[in-house]
Coordinates of all heavy atoms in Angstrom, one line a residue:
D1 N 25.3 -41.0 -63.9 CA 25.2 -40.5 -62.5 C 26.2 -41.3 -61.6 O 26.3 -40.9 -60.5 CB 23.9 -40.6 -62.1 CG 23.3 -42.0 -62.0 OD1 24.1 -42.9 -62.0 OD2 21.9 -42.1 -62.0
G2 N 26.9 -42.3 -62.1 CA 28.0 -43.0 -61.4 C 27.5 -43.9 -60.4 O 28.2 -44.5 -59.5
R3 N 26.0 -44.1 -60.4 CA 25.5 -45.2 -59.3 C 26.2 -46.5 -59.6 O 26.5 -46.9 -60.8 CB 24.1 -45.3 -59.5 CG 23.2 -44.3 -59.0 CD 21.8 -44.5 -59.0 NE 21.5 -44.5 -60.5 CZ 20.4 -45.2 -61.3 NH1 19.7 -45.9 -60.5 NH2 20.3 -45.1 -62.4
R4 N 26.5 -47.1 -58.6 CA 27.3 -48.5 -58.7 C 26.6 -49.6 -57.9 O 25.9 -49.3 -57.1 CB 28.7 -48.2 -58.0 CG 29.6 -47.3 -58.8 CD 30.8 -46.9 -57.9 NE 31.8 -46.1 -58.6 CZ 31.7 -44.9 -58.8 NH1 30.7 -44.1 -58.5 NH2 32.7 -44.2 -59.4
F5 N 26.9 -50.8 -58.4 CA 26.4 -52.0 -57.8 C 27.5 -53.0 -57.8 O 28.2 -53.2 -58.9 CB 25.3 -52.6 -58.4 CG 24.8 -53.9 -57.9 CD1 23.9 -53.8 -56.7 CD2 25.0 -55.0 -58.4 CE1 23.5 -55.1 -56.1 CE2 24.6 -56.3 -57.8 CZ 23.8 -56.3 -56.7
F6 N 27.7 -53.7 -56.7 CA 28.6 -54.7 -56.6 C 28.0 -56.1 -56.1 O 27.2 -56.1 -55.2 CB 29.8 -54.4 -55.6 CG 30.6 -53.2 -56.0 CD1 30.2 -51.9 -55.6 CD2 31.7 -53.3 -56.8 CE1 30.9 -50.7 -55.9 CE2 32.4 -52.1 -57.2 CZ 32.1 -50.8 -56.8
E7 N 28.5 -57.1 -56.6 CA 28.0 -58.3 -56.1 C 28.5 -58.7 -54.9 O 29.7 -58.2 -54.5 CB 28.3 -59.6 -57.2 CG 27.6 -59.5 -58.5 CD 26.0 -59.7 -58.2 OE1 25.6 -60.2 -57.1 OE2 25.2 -59.5 -59.1
D8 N 27.9 -59.5 -54.0 CA 28.4 -59.8 -52.7 C 29.7 -60.3 -52.5 O 30.5 -60.0 -51.6 CB 27.4 -60.7 -52.0 CG 25.9 -60.1 -51.8 OD1 25.9 -58.8 -51.8 OD2 25.1 -60.9 -51.4
F9 N 30.2 -61.1 -53.5 CA 31.4 -61.7 -53.3 C 32.6 -60.7 -53.4 O 33.7 -61.0 -53.1 CB 31.6 -62.9 -54.3 CG 31.6 -62.4 -55.7 CD1 32.8 -61.9 -56.3 CD2 30.5 -62.6 -56.6 CE1 32.7 -61.4 -57.7 CE2 30.5 -62.3 -57.9 CZ 31.7 -61.6 -58.4
V10 N 32.3 -59.5 -53.9 CA 33.4 -58.6 -54.0 C 33.8 -58.1 -52.7 O 35.1 -57.8 -52.5 CB 32.9 -57.4 -54.9 CG1 33.8 -56.2 -54.8 CG2 32.6 -57.7 -56.3
M11 N 33.0 -58.0 -51.8 CA 33.2 -57.8 -50.4 C 34.3 -56.6 -50.2 O 35.1 -56.6 -49.4 CB 33.8 -58.8 -49.7 CG 32.8 -60.0 -49.6 SD 33.5 -61.6 -48.7 CE 34.6 -62.1 -49.8
G12 N 34.0 -55.3 -50.9 CA 34.8 -54.2 -50.7 C 36.2 -54.3 -51.3 O 37.0 -53.3 -51.2
R13 N 36.4 -55.4 -52.1 CA 38.0 -55.5 -52.7 C 38.1 -54.9 -53.9 O 39.2 -54.5 -54.4 CB 38.1 -57.1 -52.8 CG 38.2 -57.9 -51.6 CD 38.4 -59.4 -51.9 NE 37.4 -59.9 -52.8 CZ 37.7 -60.7 -53.7 NH1 38.9 -61.1 -54.0 NH2 36.6 -61.3 -54.5
F14 N 36.9 -54.7 -54.7 CA 37.0 -54.1 -56.0 C 36.3 -52.8 -56.1 O 35.3 -52.5 -55.3 CB 36.2 -55.0 -57.0 CG 36.8 -56.4 -57.1 CD1 36.1 -57.3 -58.0 CD2 37.9 -56.8 -56.6 CE1 36.5 -58.6 -58.1 CE2 38.4 -58.1 -56.7 CZ 37.6 -59.1 -57.4
T15 N 36.7 -51.9 -57.0 CA 36.0 -50.7 -57.2 C 35.9 -50.5 -58.7 O 36.8 -51.0 -59.7 CB 37.0 -49.4 -56.8 OG1 38.2 -49.5 -57.4 CG2 37.0 -49.5 -55.3
I16 N 34.8 -49.9 -59.2 CA 34.5 -49.7 -60.5 C 34.4 -48.1 -60.7 O 33.8 -47.4 -59.9 CB 33.2 -50.3 -61.0 CG1 33.0 -50.2 -62.6 CG2 31.9 -49.8 -60.2 CD1 31.8 -50.9 -63.0
S17 N 35.1 -47.6 -61.7 CA 35.2 -46.2 -62.0 C 35.1 -45.9 -63.5 O 35.1 -46.8 -64.4 CB 36.4 -45.5 -61.5 OG 37.6 -46.3 -62.1
K18 N 34.8 -44.6 -63.9 CA 34.7 -44.3 -65.3 C 35.6 -43.2 -65.6 O 35.8 -42.3 -64.7 CB 33.3 -44.1 -65.6 CG 32.6 -42.9 -64.8 CD 31.0 -42.7 -65.2 CE 30.4 -41.7 -64.4 NZ 30.8 -40.3 -65.0
D19 N 35.8 -42.9 -66.9 CA 36.5 -41.8 -67.3 C 35.9 -41.2 -68.6 O 35.9 -41.8 -69.6 CB 38.1 -42.1 -67.6 CG 38.9 -40.8 -68.0 OD1 38.3 -39.9 -68.6 OD2 40.0 -40.9 -67.7
N20 N 35.2 -40.2 -68.3 CA 34.3 -39.7 -69.4 C 35.2 -39.1 -70.6 O 34.7 -39.4 -71.7 CB 33.4 -38.3 -69.0 CG 32.5 -38.9 -68.0 OD1 32.2 -40.0 -67.7 ND2 31.7 -37.9 -67.5
A21 N 36.3 -38.6 -70.3 CA 37.1 -38.0 -71.5 C 37.7 -39.2 -72.2 O 37.9 -39.0 -73.4 CB 38.3 -37.3 -70.8
K22 N 37.9 -40.3 -71.6 CA 38.5 -41.5 -72.4 C 37.5 -42.4 -72.8 O 37.8 -43.5 -73.5 CB 39.6 -42.3 -71.5 CG 40.8 -41.4 -71.1 CD 41.7 -42.1 -70.4 CE 43.0 -41.3 -70.1 NZ 44.1 -42.0 -69.4
N23 N 36.2 -42.3 -72.4 CA 35.1 -43.2 -72.8 C 35.4 -44.6 -72.4 O 35.4 -45.4 -73.1 CB 34.9 -43.0 -74.3 CG 33.5 -43.5 -74.9 OD1 32.6 -43.2 -74.2 ND2 33.5 -44.1 -76.1
A24 N 35.7 -44.7 -71.1 CA 36.2 -46.0 -70.6 C 35.6 -46.2 -69.3 O 35.2 -45.3 -68.5 CB 37.8 -45.9 -70.6

């Protein structure tokens, strides 16, 4: 479902994403 969680130190600097077609 794409729900995400970031640790506090990330502070908006990082993003996490997925690619279903590439299994990555």
Side-chain angles (χ1 to χ4, degrees):
D1 60 23
R3 285 178 296 152
R4 295 162 170 83
F5 176 81
F6 297 91
E7 288 294 349
D8 291 344
F9 63 79
V10 169
M11 292 184 294
R13 300 179 298 138
F14 300 174
T15 58
I16 186 171
S17 60
K18 62 185 180 78
D19 187 326
N20 292 356
K22 295 184 177 180
N23 204 30

